[in-house]
Amino acid sequence: MISKDKKEKLDKDLRKAGIFEEDIEEKFILGTGSGGQKVNKTCSTVFIKHLPTGLTVRCGKDRLQSSNRFFARRRLLEKLLEQKEEKKSKRMQEAAKIRKQKKRRSKKTKEKILNDKKHRGKIKEERGKTTD
């Protein structure tokens, strides 16, 4: 059973993230997996869809419908936050890539590259020309 405090905290977090009950479409479907006949006969699995973003979550973690509703909403919140963070991190990754491309190489790195090129050149020289 989910405590009242946890439910209130989740509701507060959902409102803070901009997820409201009016924006959620909820269905109850037959569950599968362990739990015996109870799970296979009752519609305890929760399927929710956040209409503005199109994110969907299916949760049949518990045999209780009320617990599954809580877990589904919590997972929806996590998905939405991940989606927002992913956009930020992609922007940050692109900026870091550009910075790295524009950055000058250190003397040590330049020397290493030149030494590798010279070594490769010697190997090719030793092969000699092919005679056909």
Side-chain angles (χ1 to χ4, degrees), residues 10 14 19 24 46 48 50 53 55-61 67-83:
L10 179 65
L14 286 170
I19 301 174
I24 295 176
V46 179
I48 58 175
H50 186 240
T53 58
L55 289 174
T56 60
V57 175
R58 182 177 175 269
C59 183
K61 187 175 182 179
S67 297
N68 287 335
R69 290 182 78 206
F70 173 81
F71 293 130
R73 280 169 171 67
R74 189 168 69 182
R75 181 65 188 128
L76 179 67
L77 176 63
E78 289 170 1
K79 270 187 159 182
L80 187 69
L81 294 176
E82 283 173 9
Q83 192 178 48

